[in-house]
Amino acid sequence: MTDRNGTPDVFIVEPRLWTLRGHELDHVIEFARAAKAQAPGRRVVVLTPPPDEALAGRLRQTKTIDLTVPCFKHRRYVEDDGGPFDILKKSVEDAASLRAAVHRHRSGRRVTLFFTTFGLHAMLMVAFLRLTSPWLRVRTIGILRKNPVTIAGQFSRKYTLFSQSVLARPFWKLATGRTLAFTDSHILQRVQRERLGLETALVPVLTPGVWDLPPDGDGPASRSGGPVTVGFIGEPGAGRGFDLFVLTALAMEQERRSGQVEFLAVMLPGYEVTPDAVHCVDALRQGLPGMRLELRWMPTPADFVAQMKRADILWNVYAPWVFHQGTSGRLVHGMCLGKKIVCSRWEWAVEAVRPCSMVRFVDERLEQTVAAVRALLASEVDEASRQEVRRWRQTYSREAWDRFVTDALERSDDDLG
């Protein structure tokens, strides 16, 4: 048992982590690493759904994770998009699994729960855990990534129901009390403070794939000879601008045929594409000049970044509802890598990027994306771009992430002590 002055256990709670796909694993591994560095004697326990064989092997090989526990019964992606009663029902179910795992594997009465994605589901799960285990001292750390405000400016009715209604208010206090809330967008930080009454701190976007880059990097490299590669890296799912990427390539036929530019899409072998974008995949497979599709596994941040490095211009055009006030890891990676970027004109991105020649902001319109690619083809490397690369590498460095983990755990330990 952990004595009175011992270090509380950390339970990393990730109900979505069941395969090597996605960024959830990066957060689990890097939080565990930083937690061990901050307190080597601390126990780190990871709670997941039943993992596949590849993920289970990877977690067993991670030395900073003391124990991995299949906690949640279902391999499902729990979001805040469902109805309030559906969210409540799933929170009750998962709270029972969470309580059983924590009670069985804790080494004392004090535990810290870390959620890489904190939202209504996780908040209510914590509330039920505290309600049913009042003798257990629980401190929660969560990264709030979801935007409770729609593009039209309407505040989420579900958040209003759980945070302000008389019947749900006691559960909201159980969920948010003794909770350290973080967000990686200063815009969302303001929204959460003003509309939810949550005091949140800023956390850097996790970018382990670029941490080995020197802090004083150059901007976009000048090229001589060969086509400039415009790269779409990742899933072509809903809202990711894949159809516009292909349409832009088709519209720039003259530049492609003359060898000035090529359009490269790199996807996972098991990619999912929306029905209305199937014809875009077919267009890439036709072998048209300057248009290629490659299927590659990218199980680690280094694999993902290796594919991003192949592009001279990164495609980062999303539907407005995806990131209009939140962050984009692809933009952060691209800026740290010193890549030219075609980027959506959403609020966070425009405020985050200082004026320089390496980024062109666009709306979801073909004429704008074509003009942006052509402008980037002709742009020269300027000093402002070099300064931006240095600033982004410092802001999203390993040291910045470790400072976040250390500060969060020290505050948690002090509160539980």
Side-chain angles (χ1 to χ4, degrees):
M1 298 289 286
T2 302
D3 62 21
R4 181 177 179 182
N5 296 317
T7 305
D9 296 336
V10 169
F11 285 80
I12 302 178
V13 187
E14 186 43 86
R16 304 172 299 167
L17 182 61
W18 64 277
T19 72
L20 287 175
R21 294 179 61 179
H23 302 296
E24 294 84 9
L25 179 61
D26 303 340
H27 283 84
V28 168
I29 289 178
E30 294 304 332
F31 194 92
R33 176 194 57 77
K36 282 289 191 179
Q38 188 260 345
R42 186 190 304 276
R43 289 180 73 250
V44 176
V45 180
V46 176
L47 305 180
T48 72
D52 65 13
E53 185 176 347
L55 174 63
R58 177 72 184 278
L59 293 172
R60 285 194 299 268
Q61 295 169 6
T62 303
K63 296 181 180 179
T64 52
I65 296 175
D66 294 290
L67 184 64
T68 300
V69 180
C71 172
F72 305 101
K73 298 179 181 178
H74 307 291
R75 293 174 173 176
R76 63 169 179 257
Y77 195 87
V78 180
E79 287 282 14
D80 290 346
D81 300 332
F85 293 104
D86 182 58
I87 295 174
L88 185 64
K89 176 177 179 293
K90 292 176 180 178
S91 299
V92 173
E93 294 173 353
D94 285 342
S97 300
L98 177 63
R99 181 178 66 250
V102 170
H103 284 200
R104 181 177 180 181
H105 299 287
R106 63 183 173 81
S107 60
R109 290 182 56 201
R110 304 180 303 155
V111 299
T112 295
L113 305 180
F114 170 65
F115 292 83
T116 66
T117 300
F118 208 44
L120 279 178
H121 167 256
M123 290 179 179
L124 296 176
M125 193 186 341
V126 170
F128 282 110
L129 172 66
R130 288 174 170 153
L131 179 67
T132 56
S133 302
W135 53 270
L136 189 66
R137 303 189 64 183
V138 177
R139 191 70 152 119
T140 304
I141 302 170
I143 301 179
L144 286 156
R145 306 181 190 279
K146 303 300 179 183
N147 188 359
V149 180
T150 66
I151 298 176
Q154 297 177 338
F155 189 71
S156 168
R157 294 181 180 179
K158 293 186 288 289
Y159 273 92
T160 301
L161 172 64
F162 287 113
S163 65
Q164 299 178 17
S165 67
V166 175
L167 293 177
R169 195 173 299 164
F171 288 99
W172 186 256
K173 290 182 178 179
L174 281 173
T176 59
R178 302 171 71 88
T179 295
L180 296 175
F182 292 84
T183 181
D184 52 18
S185 165
H186 64 280
I187 300 172
L188 295 184
Q189 182 185 33
R190 183 174 65 246
V191 170
Q192 290 152 3
R193 180 177 62 249
E194 295 174 356
R195 303 301 297 268
L196 295 177
L198 294 176
E199 289 299 326
T200 60
L202 288 175
V203 57
V205 177
L206 182 64
T207 53
V210 298
W211 281 345
D212 60 341
L213 297 172
D216 295 327
D218 293 330
S222 299
R223 291 177 54 91
S224 59
V228 173
T229 300
V230 182
F232 181 103
I233 315 298
E235 291 281 354
R240 294 177 181 263
F242 175 67
D243 53 344
L244 191 54
F245 171 79
V246 175
L247 291 173
T248 302
L250 294 173
M252 297 183 66
E253 181 180 9
Q254 182 177 349
E255 289 92 341
R256 288 188 291 106
R257 289 188 176 277
S258 64
Q260 297 179 52
V261 64
E262 69 170 356
F263 287 77
L264 169 67
V266 181
M267 307 174 188
L268 298 173
Y271 68 86
E272 297 180 3
V273 64
T274 55
D276 58 343
V278 172
H279 66 284
C280 295
V281 176
D282 294 338
L284 278 176
R285 291 185 179 277
Q286 289 179 11
L288 297 175
M291 294 178 63
R292 289 189 293 136
L293 171 64
E294 295 184 8
L295 304 181
R296 293 178 180 270
W297 289 110
M298 295 175 277
T300 70
D303 297 322
F304 182 69
V305 169
Q307 299 307 315
M308 297 184 76
K309 287 181 177 179
R310 300 173 61 192
D312 303 295
I313 300 174
L314 284 172
W315 186 269
N316 196 49
V317 180
Y318 285 83
W321 54 267
V322 179
F323 286 121
H324 75 109
Q325 288 187 321
T327 62
S328 162
R330 186 174 279 103
L331 175 60
V332 176
H333 276 84
M335 295 297 294
C336 291
L337 288 169
K339 297 294 182 180
K340 296 179 180 180
I341 305 172
V342 180
C343 185
S344 294
R345 196 191 311 276
W346 67 78
E347 188 177 354
W348 176 83
V350 172
E351 289 196 17
V353 179
R354 294 176 181 174
C356 63
S357 65
M358 63 190 292
V359 180
R360 291 292 186 277
F361 290 110
V362 298
D363 300 313
E364 276 196 309
R365 298 175 183 172
L366 179 60
E367 64 273 15
Q368 290 192 21
T369 57
V370 171
V373 173
R374 286 173 173 160
L376 289 172
L377 290 176
S379 66
E380 299 291 335
V381 178
D382 60 2
E383 181 57 30
S385 295
R386 295 187 179 93
Q387 292 178 0
E388 272 296 88
V389 174
R390 289 192 286 269
R391 184 174 72 87
W392 284 69
R393 288 185 184 180
Q394 292 170 359
T395 303
Y396 300 102
S397 63
R398 181 193 300 268
E399 291 75 19
W401 172 263
D402 288 354
R403 283 195 299 271
F404 148 66
V405 176
T406 296
D407 177 65
L409 289 178
E410 286 181 346
R411 290 167 60 185
S412 175
D413 293 350
D414 289 344
D415 184 69
L416 290 173

